[in-house]
Amino acid sequence: MSKIFIVEDDRSIREELAELLRNSGYEAEYLTDFSNSKTRILSAKPDLILMDINIPELNGEQLLKEIRKETDTPVIMVTSRTSETDEVLSMSYGADDYITKPYNPTILLLRISAVLKRSAGSATVQSYNGLQVNDAKGCLTDGSRELILTKNEMIIFRFMLDRQGSIVTRDELMTALWDNDEFVNDNALTVNISRLRSKLADLGCEDAIETRKKQGYILR
């Protein structure tokens, strides 16, 4: 039975989360005293940490940064913030996933299951044109520079990488993003593709994504 540690200062939310997790076959613990949070969390030796950003003492992002100095225990940020900056910052500090409130309990449980399965083995690392693709960290690196992708960007890039050299339609990408907690429309997909192109170019992969008019995209 996997142990999940909840870091949430709203009593009703953390108790509801604990009940949800226990009813789903997990062991659940949570903080009630936020002094020395890092020590209390690490001493519990959890298999996964659910952490809110807005918590007393250290905020969740700073606490995550401190935790990452001592352990690679998976962390999912659970927060009411919707800023992409918060998502990128959390991922850069070492979060394994990020979900916003109000969340669908089923989606949260799927995310937890996916992160636990991923952490049970080695981090998935693939290569693309000299870049290492690290799913666990949500980043691309050329060995000297590390580029953080947002959750949507990584979903799109991973989907296209698995089909490298073949046309991927917009409908297929929308379907891949469908079970994400964020609403993604056609315009949002275009924006994500544009940002992904720009980030790949920053690491030397110019024109990595080719647009095929009325067909879709190809990762070259």
Side-chain angles (χ1 to χ4, degrees), residues 165-180:
S166 300
I167 294 173
V168 175
T169 68
R170 292 179 68 86
D171 283 346
E172 287 175 324
L173 291 172
M174 294 287 284
T175 299
L177 292 164
W178 185 255
D179 66 352
N180 199 0

Side-chain angles (χ1 to χ4, degrees), residues 58-77:
L58 285 178
N59 68 38
E61 287 165 345
Q62 292 298 323
L63 179 55
L64 170 61
K65 192 174 181 180
E66 290 301 308
I67 287 173
R68 276 291 169 261
K69 293 177 181 179
E70 300 190 33
T71 180
D72 290 326
T73 299
V75 177
I76 298 177
M77 303 301 285

Side-chain angles (χ1 to χ4, degrees), residues 92 137 139-142 144-148 203:
S92 70
K137 293 183 68 177
C139 72
L140 306 176
T141 179
D142 62 4
S144 59
R145 293 173 297 168
E146 188 173 86
L147 183 67
I148 301 298
L203 286 179

Side-chain angles (χ1 to χ4, degrees), residues 167 170 210-218:
I167 294 173
R170 292 179 68 86
E210 177 186 347
T211 299
R212 290 290 180 90
K213 191 173 181 180
K214 296 184 179 179
Q215 296 181 76
Y217 305 97
I218 291 181

Side-chain angles (χ1 to χ4, degrees), residues 14-42:
R14 68 178 178 240
E15 289 181 352
E16 286 175 7
L17 267 175
E19 183 177 5
L20 172 67
L21 294 170
R22 289 165 184 156
N23 289 339
S24 300
Y26 296 107
E27 182 180 351
E29 294 185 17
Y30 50 72
L31 281 180
T32 54
D33 182 350
F34 288 82
S35 60
N36 299 316
S37 297
K38 183 181 77 170
T39 300
R40 295 174 189 275
I41 293 167
L42 295 180

Side-chain angles (χ1 to χ4, degrees), residues 20-164:
L20 172 67
L21 294 170
R22 289 165 184 156
N23 289 339
S24 300
Y26 296 107
E27 182 180 351
E29 294 185 17
Y30 50 72
L31 281 180
T32 54
D33 182 350
F34 288 82
S35 60
N36 299 316
S37 297
K38 183 181 77 170
T39 300
R40 295 174 189 275
I41 293 167
L42 295 180
S43 64
K45 297 182 179 179
D47 297 295
L48 183 144
I49 302 165
L50 289 178
M51 187 183 302
D52 190 22
I53 287 181
N54 293 314
I55 54 175
E57 308 291 339
L58 285 178
N59 68 38
E61 287 165 345
Q62 292 298 323
L63 179 55
L64 170 61
K65 192 174 181 180
E66 290 301 308
I67 287 173
R68 276 291 169 261
K69 293 177 181 179
E70 300 190 33
T71 180
D72 290 326
T73 299
V75 177
I76 298 177
M77 303 301 285
V78 183
T79 177
S80 57
R81 297 186 183 183
T82 57
S83 166
E84 183 180 287
T85 301
D86 291 318
E87 178 182 350
V88 172
L89 192 60
S90 295
M91 299 301 277
S92 70
Y93 283 167
D96 296 86
D97 205 345
Y98 183 104
I99 190 167
T100 55
K101 303 173 186 174
Y103 51 81
N104 182 310
T106 301
I107 296 296
L108 176 62
L109 291 172
L110 287 172
R111 293 285 183 80
I112 289 170
S113 177
V115 171
L116 286 171
K117 285 178 182 177
R118 190 168 66 208
S119 67
S122 300
T124 303
V125 179
Q126 266 187 287
S127 295
Y128 169 73
N129 287 358
L131 302 177
Q132 285 193 324
V133 185
N134 193 312
D135 293 287
K137 293 183 68 177
C139 72
L140 306 176
T141 179
D142 62 4
S144 59
R145 293 173 297 168
E146 188 173 86
L147 183 67
I148 301 298
L149 300 184
T150 66
K151 181 168 51 188
N152 283 349
E153 290 164 358
M154 181 56 86
I155 290 171
I156 292 168
F157 181 72
R158 167 57 62 194
F159 191 88
M160 297 181 73
L161 182 59
D162 289 343
R163 296 156 183 79
Q164 187 176 358

